[in-house]
Amino acid sequence: MTKHISTSISALGVLVSVFLLAMAVRSASPLWLPSGIFLVAAYALVRDLRRTTRPSTHPHDPKATQ
């Protein structure tokens, strides 16, 4: 369940960073800061998605594949 919450928060971060990037493009401000925020948010989302879809290998997890 914690992995799904983390993934949801990462998806929200990507949406916010896309909004910030769009606002920066529209106002003709420097793009390096919103672009960096977007890249960090996208990386976090991909990491969380990979962690969510990977089977658990924790020894105390009842759903762990052994």
Side-chain angles (χ1 to χ4, degrees):
M1 184 67 179
T2 306
K3 294 177 184 178
H4 295 294
I5 293 170
S6 178
T7 304
S8 299
I9 292 171
S10 295
L12 181 64
V14 168
L15 288 176
V16 169
S17 67
V18 166
F19 176 74
L20 288 174
L21 189 60
M23 294 302 291
V25 167
R26 188 173 185 157
S27 67
S29 64
L31 296 178
W32 63 268
L33 183 61
S35 298
I37 293 171
F38 173 74
L39 288 175
V40 168
Y43 172 77
L45 179 61
V46 169
R47 183 195 62 208
D48 288 341
L49 284 172
R50 293 181 76 194
R51 187 180 307 154
T52 302
T53 58
R54 187 179 312 152
S56 177
T57 57
H58 193 270
H60 299 294
D61 188 3
K63 295 182 285 184
T65 55
Q66 304 248 347

